[in-house]
Amino acid sequence: MRRAALVLGCALVLAVGGCRRVPEAPQGPSPYLRSLLLPSVGPTRYDWRGLNGRVVLVSFFATWCFPCLAELPTLEALQKEHGPQGFQVVLVGLDLEGERVLAPFAEQYALNFPVLVSDEPMQQGRSAFGLIPALPATFLLDKEGRVAGAWQGMAGHEDVSKAVTTLLRR
């Protein structure tokens, strides 16, 4: 009798379980956004999950790169201008010394956007962004996390602002 009840119980569990629809795995962020799952330094808080659904400007830089430093005021102005509408600048440091150099840099400049520390695979070109041949290198991602624009070298405020505005309206 106990055995029959056990068999009947197992059959019932299997039958009920077999009737349920297995949910599909949720669509994760784009490979570009997943590449930004990196540690951050400095005063600006960072949660990579907050990038999903936003227009994101990713700027690769190094602390020793003069054009990268000269571009910082433009990036800060873009963040201030478009941030409230769903835009986010993310700075990714490619300095080989990593956090040791980037943490004091981020504290000193106190930027209004996150500063991330690249990992070794990213430095070797093994990320969705591929090898970064020159600095600064800037990628503009649309709300779905797809590359919608890219600049090599310093990007002008007016050109980037127009591109951001267009993506925010979509």
Side-chain angles (χ1 to χ4, degrees), residues 123-142:
Q123 292 170 0
Q124 295 175 356
R126 294 191 322 258
S127 80
F129 294 98
L131 187 62
I132 306 299
L135 296 174
T138 304
F139 295 86
L140 186 59
L141 307 179
D142 65 14

Side-chain angles (χ1 to χ4, degrees), residues 7-62:
V7 170
L8 182 59
C10 287
L12 183 61
V13 167
L14 290 174
V16 170
C19 293
R20 287 191 328 197
R21 184 171 168 250
V22 177
E24 294 180 8
Q27 293 293 337
S30 79
Y32 297 101
L33 294 178
R34 281 194 306 271
S35 289
L36 300 176
L37 179 55
L38 297 167
S40 67
V41 293
T44 303
R45 297 185 53 80
Y46 173 69
D47 181 358
W48 72 276
R49 294 169 295 204
L51 300 177
N52 212 13
R54 296 177 69 88
V55 173
V56 180
L57 184 141
V58 181
S59 182
F60 291 92
F61 87 110

Side-chain angles (χ1 to χ4, degrees), residues 31-102:
Y32 297 101
L33 294 178
R34 281 194 306 271
S35 289
L36 300 176
L37 179 55
L38 297 167
S40 67
V41 293
T44 303
R45 297 185 53 80
Y46 173 69
D47 181 358
W48 72 276
R49 294 169 295 204
L51 300 177
N52 212 13
R54 296 177 69 88
V55 173
V56 180
L57 184 141
V58 181
S59 182
F60 291 92
F61 87 110
T63 59
W64 48 262
C65 168
F66 179 74
C68 300
L69 299 178
E71 188 176 53
L72 291 177
T74 298
L75 299 178
E76 284 193 294
L78 289 166
Q79 180 63 50
K80 185 177 181 182
E81 182 180 338
H82 298 290
Q85 289 84 41
F87 172 72
Q88 181 62 59
V89 171
V90 176
L91 201 60
V92 180
L94 293 176
D95 291 81
L96 296 178
E97 299 87 359
E99 187 174 340
R100 193 178 85 215
V101 170
L102 290 167

